[in-house]
Amino acid sequence: MNGKVRLGEFLQTRRSQLRPEDLGIPGYGERRRVPGLRREELASLAGVSVSYYTRLEQGQSLNASPQVLDAIARALRLEEAERLHLHDLARSSATGPGRVRRPAPERVTQATGQLLEALVHVPAIVTGRRGDVLAWNRLGHALFAGHLDPDAPDRPAERPNMARLVFLDAHTRDLYADWQAKARAVVGNLRLVAGRHPDDTALHSLVGELSARSADFASMWADHRVTACAVATYEMRHPLVGPLTVTQQTLSPGPSEDQGQSIVVATTEADSPARTTLALLAQVGSQHDPVRPGVRAGSGSG
């Protein structure tokens, strides 16, 4: 799918999700044939001509200024991550498709590996741009994917992918009490990555696979929601130790280390039942895996 289509679909979908009454636009009791704002209403709110906005939505205007894009973002009530996503889509639309390249191998950097080793008492995993698990520590494996081979991240062809787990793996689906919230966060983040890396063929393949195999994913993907989910709290239902509430935080390496990798950690409140449950999981996990090292890092052969 080219940048023009992605931009147009995003604008059309988000426009359809706005209710005129929420924006102070009188409806006079009329019944609309299609939901959401009309193009002329959105154009008026953004301060641009109807013809210009129509061309933009149809992929016929490729040089929208940052100021115009920001005005449209305000009219659409976009959050900051969504506003940046709009700029990414417009940039991709203007430059056209880039050179298709084989995805570069993803490797855990030495610094990231050292950080993972230091997080002995905190569940942590390292994910690549598309959500592939590049490494995890012992507790991260026990919390997020204890039913999988702990050595799987060492084998690039067998690396677990967090989006696949959330949508296609029954264990992971049962792990989250509010699975819908976790699923929406995963899809929203993939949308964000797709906007930043429009020529990532491996990402397109992943989205195609999930769309074909999961009706839930296909529906959420079509919604065009974008989420930069840096911090989120989830109630988890672990099959070994029971329920616990964790705060999942996504940390990104600095610019010099930026390979699209993230470190996802799960923390609990001090002196909480969840902290006790996590400590119990650490004990149970060590009994199940007494001789394995603390970190499951990728072999570097990407």
Side-chain angles (χ1 to χ4, degrees), residues 29-287:
E30 63 179 326
R31 186 171 183 177
R32 300 187 173 217
R33 290 185 295 116
V34 293
L37 294 184
R38 298 187 176 104
R39 282 175 177 161
E40 57 267 27
E41 292 169 337
L42 195 284
S44 177
L45 290 171
V48 299
S49 70
V50 178
S51 60
Y52 177 83
Y53 177 77
T54 300
R55 291 196 304 273
L56 186 65
E57 200 172 89
Q58 293 178 342
Q60 298 171 0
S61 180
L62 305 181
N63 295 304
S65 69
Q67 294 78 12
V68 167
L69 293 174
D70 286 342
I72 292 174
R74 287 192 294 270
L76 289 172
R77 300 288 181 89
L78 301 185
E79 297 180 355
E80 179 62 13
E82 296 169 324
R83 184 187 71 83
L84 295 176
H85 181 65
L86 175 61
H87 281 263
D88 287 336
L89 293 178
R91 191 177 305 112
S92 171
S93 175
T95 58
R99 179 182 176 185
V100 177
R101 299 177 180 175
R102 183 173 176 229
E106 293 188 294
R107 302 179 176 88
V108 177
T109 64
Q110 182 178 9
T112 299
Q114 291 174 353
L115 176 58
L116 197 60
E117 288 180 339
L119 297 173
V120 177
H121 303 294
V122 179
I125 63 176
V126 180
T127 60
R129 176 195 297 175
R130 308 166 201 92
D132 293 329
V133 178
L134 308 182
W136 47 30
N137 62 11
R138 187 196 302 270
L139 199 49
H141 168 253
L143 178 64
F144 292 108
H147 63 305
L148 299 181
D149 182 353
D151 293 324
D154 293 342
R155 301 185 291 272
E158 300 176 29
R159 283 173 175 164
N161 176 276
M162 293 309 297
R164 286 194 186 95
L165 289 177
V166 168
F167 282 94
L168 305 178
D169 182 76
H171 173 96
T172 305
R173 191 175 187 120
D174 291 340
L175 194 59
Y176 291 91
D178 188 353
W179 177 84
Q180 290 279 344
K182 179 61 178 178
R184 285 193 297 269
V186 168
V187 174
N189 182 69
L190 278 181
R191 271 282 178 201
L192 201 62
V193 174
R196 292 172 179 167
H197 305 280
D199 302 312
D200 189 327
T201 55
L203 179 59
H204 294 323
S205 296
L206 174 64
V207 170
E209 175 194 345
L210 292 173
S211 297
R213 299 179 63 186
S214 170
D216 289 319
F217 180 89
S219 175
M220 293 182 187
W221 186 256
D223 199 39
H224 283 267
R225 293 291 179 181
V226 177
T227 307
C229 195
V231 181
T233 299
Y234 296 105
E235 177 71 31
M236 304 184 79
R237 302 175 298 195
H238 199 278
L240 293 182
V241 295
L244 71 163
T245 301
V246 302
T247 298
Q248 292 185 19
Q249 301 184 59
T250 302
L251 314 175
S252 298
S256 63
E257 301 281 347
D258 186 16
Q259 300 178 5
Q261 294 179 12
S262 299
I263 304 173
V264 180
V265 298
T267 58
T268 55
E269 291 187 12
D271 302 320
S272 67
R275 180 69 61 87
T276 303
T277 301
L278 197 60
L280 176 61
L281 180 61
Q283 295 177 3
V284 172
S286 64
Q287 292 169 4

